[in-house]
Amino acid sequence: MTTTETHPCDPARPGDHAADRARLLADPALSGAERRTALAGLTDRWLAGLHRKAGAPAGTALVAVGGYGRGELSPRSDLDVLLLHDGALDPELPDRLWYPVWDSGAALDHSVRTLEEARAVAAEDLKAQLGLLDARHVAGDPELTAQLRSAVLADWRADAAKRLPDLHELGRARAERHGELAFLLEPDLKEARGGLRDVVALRAIAATWLADAPRDGLDAAAARLADVRDALHLVTGRATERLSLQDQDQVAARLGVLDADTLLRQVYEAARTIAYAGDVTWRSVERILAARANRGRRISRLAFPFSGAGRTGGAVAKGAVERRPLAEGVVEHEGEAVLAQGARPAQDPVLPLRAAAAAAQAGLTVSYATVRRLAAETRPLPVPWPDEAREQLVTLLGAGEACLPVWEALEAEGLISRLLPDWERVRCRPQRNAVHRWTVDRHLIETAVKAAAMTRRVARPDLLLVAALLHDIGKGWPGDHSEAGEVIVRDVAARMGFDRADTETLALLVRHHLTLVDTATRRDPDDPATVELITKVVGTLPQLELLHALTEADATATGPAAWSGWRASLVAGLVARAAAQLAGGGGFPAEAEPTVDEERLAVEAARTGGPALALHAETDHGSPATEPMGVELTLAIPDRPGLLGTVAGVLALHRLRVRAASLRELDPVGAGPVLLISWTVAAEYGELPETARLRADLRRALDGSLDVSRKLAERDAAAPRRPGIATPPPVVAVAPEASRSATILEVRAHDAPGLLHRIGRALDGAGVRVRTAHVSTLGADAVDAFYVTDAAGLPLGAERAREVARAVQEALG
C-alpha cells in the first residue's frame, strides 16, 4: 500500500541532511533546474546512506519514481520512493529506511514491492504506472532497477492502445476539476490544464513511441512553471501548488519579476504552450489509434472487392487518404485542415485567414504542420487588407465555438499578433476582477463566440463580430479602456479596409460598449432624458441593434455575475424605448440609375426575348491581378416566374459563392418589364468557370433542359457528410411599413451553397413576384431583403406576408 505521511510519534528533529538541504536552498548561486537537480542529488546521497545504514542486503534496490525520479525535486516536494526486492526481504528493513526520513520532517510517498508486484500494480493503477515510467536508481542493486525500467516501459508500449485513452480521460477530468491554468487568477500550477501534470502526460505519450509533442518552447514553458512552483514553496514554506493572490507579489519578487501581473502573464504564456502541445499531440494519438483499429477492417474489405461495402473496388483504401477541398488552397485530410498540394503561402498572404475560416466553418482545426508552414512562409497582409482577408476574418469569428481551437492554433504560432499588432498588449493580460473569468485576449475571442450566436439580430453581422473582437483592445493602454479602444479601433479598422462609415460604427460600438448596461442600471428608464441619451449616442436603429447585441455578448462572455435576468430586462426595456423613438428613419437607399452597359443589356433582352449577360473579373486591391477576387455577372432577361432561384441555382452548380446581388425591373423599350440582376460571385475553390460554359448552362436552365434543383440534390447526396458546426437558425421576417409599393421580406441565415436558390424557389412557390432584391454575404452570414408583390403588383396583406415568410423559413429548415 502506498502512503504519504510524517512520523506519527516522534517530532521531526534536525540532522545533517536537514542542515545541508537548508544551505542548498539558501544558496543564491543556485536556482531553477540547477537547484532542483542539486536537491535531488543531495537527497540521493542521503537515501543511499540510509540504505547502507539499514543493512539492506543484495537483491534490493531503492528507486526514485515520479518527479523525484526525473530529478525535478522542488523545495517542498514529496519523496516518491520504491523499495524494490527480489522476494526475500527482512520485514523490518522498510521501517529502518523510512523512520529516519519521517524524523527529518520530509513527506514520504513510499512502497515496497517485488518486480512482479510493481508490474501488477502498474497494470491496474494508471497513476502508479506513470510514476514508474520515471523510475531512477538511487541505491542497492542497479540490475534490479534496470529490470524494472525495461519491464515497465515494455508493458506501457504494449498496452498503449488501451492506456492512452485512459490517460487522455484522466487529463480531461483533471481539467474539469481544476480549470485552465492559462486563465485562472489563482491557478493550480500542477493540476490545471496546461500545468506540470500535462507535461508528465506528454512525456508518457513520447515513451510509447507512437507520437511526440511539439518541442518548440515546451521545455522552457515547463521549466518556467517549475521555477514558479519552487518560488511558491519557498515563499509559503508549504507544499502548495496553488498560486494564491496573496502570494503572487512575493513570488514575483523572489523570481526577480517586475510585478504580479507580469508573473501571471509568464505563467499564462507557459500554460498555453503546454496546453497547445497537448492538443496537437492528443490529436496525433487519436489518429494513429484510429488508423490501427481500422486497419484490419480495411484489409478485410479490400480482400472482397465485389461484396458489401467493398463494391467500389479500391475506393475504401483511396478514401483513407482522400483530401477533400474546403477552400482555395485548403483541403481536409485526416480530420484536419491542411494546405492543398498546389498552395503557395509565399504568394498568398490571405491564406492563413482562409485556411482558418474554412477549418472553423467545417468544425475542424488547422494541422500543426500547416500552421507552422503558414507562419514561416506567408508574407504580411498589405495595408489596407484585401477585401477577402476581412471577409475571411469575419467568417472565422462567425463559426462560434468552432473558432476557438483554430484561433488558439494561430495564436500559438504568432499569426494573430502578426495580423493584429495591437493584440500583443492584451495577450495573456490578467483581469484582477472577480467578475471576469478570462484574460483580456481570451475574453475578446469569447465575446466574438457569443456574438456569433446573435448575428440574426443585426443587419451588419460583420461589424458585430469585429466589434466583439476589439471592444476591450484598449485595456492594454493607460486610461479609460473604452476611450483608448476607440482610438485604436479607428486605426485597426482602417488597416482592415473598412470604409469611413463602417469605421465610425466600429468606433462608436467600442467607445460605448458599456453605455447601455450602465445607463439601464443607474438611470430611470422611464425618464425621457434617459432614452434621449441613448438615441443621441447610437443615432440609428441598426446601430442600436448592434450595440444591444454587443452589450449582451460582452456581459455573457465575462461571467455569470455580469449578466442576469434583471440586467437583461432593464437593458431590453431601454433598447425598446430607444428603438421606438428611432423607428421610421430606416429603409433602403434609392436605386442608382442604370449604367450604359446595363441599359444595353436590358434593350438586347427586350428585343430578343432571351437572356443577355456580361461577365468580367474584378481584382482585389493588394492581390495579384492574375488572381481575381470574383466575377461581376450582369444578367438581363424578360421577367418570368422563378428567375431568381433558377439563376442562383446555376451559380451554385458551378460552385460560385454569391457575395452580393441586386435585382430590379427596367422597361427599356416599353415592351414589358426586364429583370436586371447584378451578381458578385467568387469561386468556393479552384478556378472560376469558363464564361462560355456558364452562359450555356444559364440558357439551358432557363429553357428547361437543365434541372437545376435535381442536379444540386444529386451533388449534395454524393458529397461526404461532415459534422459541421452549430449555427443560429435562419430568421425570416416581414419589415413593417418599410415600403408603400412592396412587402419587404428580410432573411438572415448562415451562408451555404444553394441558399439563394432555395429562397428563390420558395418565393416562386408562394406565388409572389420579386420586384427588387438586395443580397449581401458578410463573412459566413447572408443578410438579404426581397421586395415582393402579388400577381397584380400590389403589396401583400399582413396575413399573406406572414404565410410567405413561413414558406421561406420552412425552405431554409
Side-chain angles (χ1 to χ4, degrees):
M1 181 175 180
T2 301
T3 59
T4 301
E5 56 186 315
T6 56
H7 192 292
C9 302
D10 299 335
R13 50 185 195 274
D16 291 342
H17 173 68
D20 291 343
R21 183 177 177 279
R23 281 193 295 271
L24 186 152
L25 294 177
D27 186 350
L30 286 177
S31 64
E34 185 182 5
R35 181 173 58 204
R36 289 188 289 276
T37 301
L39 185 57
L42 177 66
T43 305
D44 285 355
R45 294 188 292 275
W46 176 48
L47 291 179
L50 293 178
H51 185 263
R52 289 192 301 271
K53 188 174 181 180
T60 65
L62 205 57
V63 183
V65 297
Y68 177 32
R70 295 188 297 274
E72 299 172 352
L73 208 54
S74 289
R76 294 287 174 174
S77 291
D78 292 354
L79 300 181
D80 298 330
V81 183
L82 165 66
L83 178 59
L84 192 64
H85 63 95
D86 59 6
L89 184 71
D90 178 357
E92 296 183 359
L93 176 62
D95 285 347
R96 294 199 298 271
L97 270 173
W98 309 145
Y99 268 73
V101 180
W102 289 327
D103 289 342
S104 74
L108 179 66
D109 191 342
H110 64 87
S111 57
V112 181
R113 296 189 178 104
T114 64
L115 175 59
E116 291 72 20
E117 289 170 343
R119 292 179 67 185
V121 169
E124 296 297 325
D125 186 340
L126 180 57
K127 293 181 180 179
Q129 189 170 31
L130 292 175
L132 289 172
L133 288 175
D134 294 311
R136 180 174 57 80
H137 184 71
V138 174
D141 185 352
E143 181 60 29
L144 202 56
T145 303
Q147 291 176 15
L148 173 71
R149 282 183 53 81
S150 297
V152 168
L153 279 170
D155 293 344
W156 177 245
R157 288 164 185 156
D159 294 337
K162 173 189 173 185
R163 299 303 258 169
L164 286 180
D166 293 342
L167 179 60
H168 198 186
E169 181 55 37
L170 195 67
R172 282 194 286 253
R174 196 164 25 80
E176 187 70 25
R177 288 193 306 272
H178 297 280
E180 295 197 55
L181 177 53
F183 309 117
L184 296 168
L185 270 179
E186 293 187 310
D188 188 309
L189 299 170
K190 189 174 183 179
E191 303 292 345
R193 179 175 180 265
L196 292 167
R197 195 72 84 180
D198 282 347
V199 179
V200 174
L202 291 174
R203 289 170 176 155
I205 294 171
T208 65
W209 292 347
L210 287 180
D212 196 8
R215 305 311 304 177
D216 284 355
L218 182 60
D219 291 340
R224 191 54 182 163
L225 292 188
D227 290 349
V228 175
R229 183 190 186 211
D230 289 357
L232 181 62
H233 285 189
L234 292 171
V235 163
T236 62
R238 294 180 288 110
T240 180
E241 314 298 339
R242 186 169 298 281
L243 186 58
S244 300
L245 289 172
Q246 65 266 25
D247 299 322
Q248 289 173 9
D249 286 320
Q250 289 177 278
V251 171
R254 179 104 198 179
L255 292 170
V257 174
L258 178 63
D259 55 27
D261 277 2
T262 305
L263 171 68
L264 278 182
R265 292 190 80 169
Q266 292 180 358
V267 168
Y268 293 161
E269 287 173 356
R272 289 190 187 187
T273 299
I274 294 167
Y276 178 61
D279 290 342
V280 171
T281 306
W282 280 118
R283 286 199 300 270
S284 179
V285 168
E286 288 171 347
R287 284 197 304 273
I288 292 168
L289 294 183
R292 285 187 170 187
N294 291 332
R295 189 176 299 154
R297 290 195 293 271
R298 188 164 66 242
I299 291 173
S300 66
R301 287 174 183 172
L302 290 174
F304 302 97
F306 299 104
S307 62
R311 289 179 185 269
T312 52
V316 175
K318 187 176 181 180
V321 293
E322 185 177 357
R323 297 163 70 89
R324 298 168 182 155
L326 294 175
E328 179 62 29
V330 188
V331 297
E332 177 188 351
H333 180 63
E334 295 187 337
E336 294 180 318
V338 303
L339 295 185
Q341 293 178 351
R344 298 171 294 173
Q347 301 175 40
D348 189 354
V350 182
L351 187 54
L353 281 172
R354 190 186 310 122
Q361 287 292 329
L364 308 172
T365 190
V366 185
S367 79
Y368 173 70
T370 295
V371 179
R372 296 272 293 172
R373 185 181 171 194
L374 289 171
E377 298 183 23
T378 308
R379 56 186 173 86
L381 283 169
V383 177
W385 288 10
D387 292 342
E388 188 201 356
R390 189 172 62 255
E391 180 180 327
Q392 297 294 355
L393 173 63
V394 171
T395 303
L396 169 60
L397 298 176
E401 291 284 348
C403 167
L404 290 174
V406 177
W407 189 272
E408 289 174 349
L410 299 183
E411 197 265 350
E413 296 300 331
L415 283 166
I416 297 300
S417 294
R418 185 189 300 180
L419 290 167
L420 303 170
D422 298 282
W423 195 260
E424 196 60 32
R425 280 184 173 265
V426 297
R427 183 176 177 272
C428 293
R429 181 175 289 274
Q431 303 200 75
R432 294 188 175 276
N433 184 326
V435 172
H436 279 279
R437 72 173 92 173
W438 306 111
T439 56
V440 176
D441 62 327
R442 183 54 179 255
H443 169 69
L444 291 175
I445 191 63
E446 289 284 346
T447 303
V449 167
K450 298 293 186 184
M454 303 175 189
T455 51
R456 304 296 176 265
R457 291 167 42 177
V458 298
R460 289 295 302 274
D462 56 334
L463 297 183
L464 172 62
L465 292 168
V466 174
L469 181 69
L470 301 175
H471 75 278
D472 274 350
I473 198 74
K475 286 188 175 179
W477 296 82
D480 185 297
H481 77 279
S482 297
E483 294 178 0
E486 179 186 7
V487 175
I488 296 168
V489 81
R490 289 181 188 277
D491 177 63
V492 174
R495 280 190 273 122
M496 286 182 175
F498 283 103
D499 63 25
R500 180 173 297 181
D502 288 349
T503 297
E504 289 302 318
T505 298
L506 289 169
L508 181 148
L509 294 173
V510 171
R511 175 67 181 86
H512 293 285
H513 70 272
L514 298 175
T515 297
L516 275 181
V517 71
D518 286 349
T519 305
T521 55
R522 298 175 186 177
R523 300 280 293 271
D524 179 4
D526 294 320
D527 185 348
T530 303
V531 177
E532 186 179 3
L533 185 153
I534 297 302
T535 57
K536 284 184 176 179
V537 165
V538 298
T540 67
L541 190 56
Q543 292 189 156
L544 177 64
E545 293 173 344
L546 284 167
L547 188 60
H548 186 195
L550 176 60
T551 299
E552 185 175 336
D554 179 22
T556 52
T558 297
W563 195 247
S564 63
W566 172 73
R567 283 176 179 249
S569 64
L570 288 179
V571 170
L574 178 58
V575 168
R577 292 177 177 87
Q581 189 165 317
L582 292 168
F588 288 96
E591 292 286 354
E593 290 295 319
T595 66
V596 172
D597 288 340
E598 289 172 340
E599 287 187 339
R600 178 184 56 78
L601 289 173
V603 169
E604 180 183 343
R607 287 176 175 171
T608 62
L613 60 113
L615 302 95
H616 74 272
E618 64 162 350
T619 56
D620 193 1
H621 59 273
S623 296
T626 56
E627 297 183 6
M629 252 300 276
V631 164
E632 293 287 345
L633 167 63
T634 305
L635 172 67
I637 187 170
D639 194 9
R640 55 183 288 179
L643 182 62
L644 176 65
T646 300
V647 178
V650 172
L651 299 181
L653 274 179
H654 283 266
R655 299 192 183 277
L656 290 172
R657 179 171 170 238
V658 178
R659 298 175 61 225
S662 64
L663 177 151
R664 55 180 163 163
E665 286 185 355
L666 299 177
D667 190 356
V669 295
V674 171
L675 283 186
L676 185 69
I677 313 179
S678 299
W679 307 83
T680 302
V681 294
E684 289 182 31
Y685 45 79
E687 296 181 354
L688 293 166
E690 295 179 359
T691 302
R693 183 178 176 187
L694 182 60
R695 181 183 289 109
D697 282 349
L698 282 169
R699 293 184 184 278
R700 291 173 58 215
L702 292 170
D703 67 22
S705 61
L706 173 62
D707 188 337
V708 175
S709 297
R710 183 175 62 83
K711 287 290 186 182
L712 285 172
E714 289 174 353
R715 190 180 72 183
D716 289 345
R721 293 285 179 248
R722 297 191 186 94
I725 60 172
T727 61
V731 172
V732 183
V734 180
E737 301 178 1
S739 172
R740 295 180 180 178
S741 59
T743 298
I744 300 179
L745 287 184
E746 295 181 341
V747 179
R748 298 174 182 177
H750 187 76
D751 188 33
L755 174 68
L756 192 55
H757 172 65
R758 295 197 299 275
I759 295 172
R761 287 194 68 199
L763 292 174
D764 185 43
V768 298
R769 294 179 60 223
V770 180
R771 274 194 47 224
T772 307
H774 300 265
V775 175
S776 298
T777 302
L778 304 171
D781 294 296
V783 181
D784 306 338
F786 302 90
Y787 286 61
V788 299
T789 67
D790 61 16
L794 299 175
L796 308 180
E799 182 56 35
R800 177 73 173 123
R802 286 192 289 270
E803 289 177 1
V804 174
R806 283 195 294 271
V808 176
Q809 184 86 50
E810 291 172 2
L812 299 182

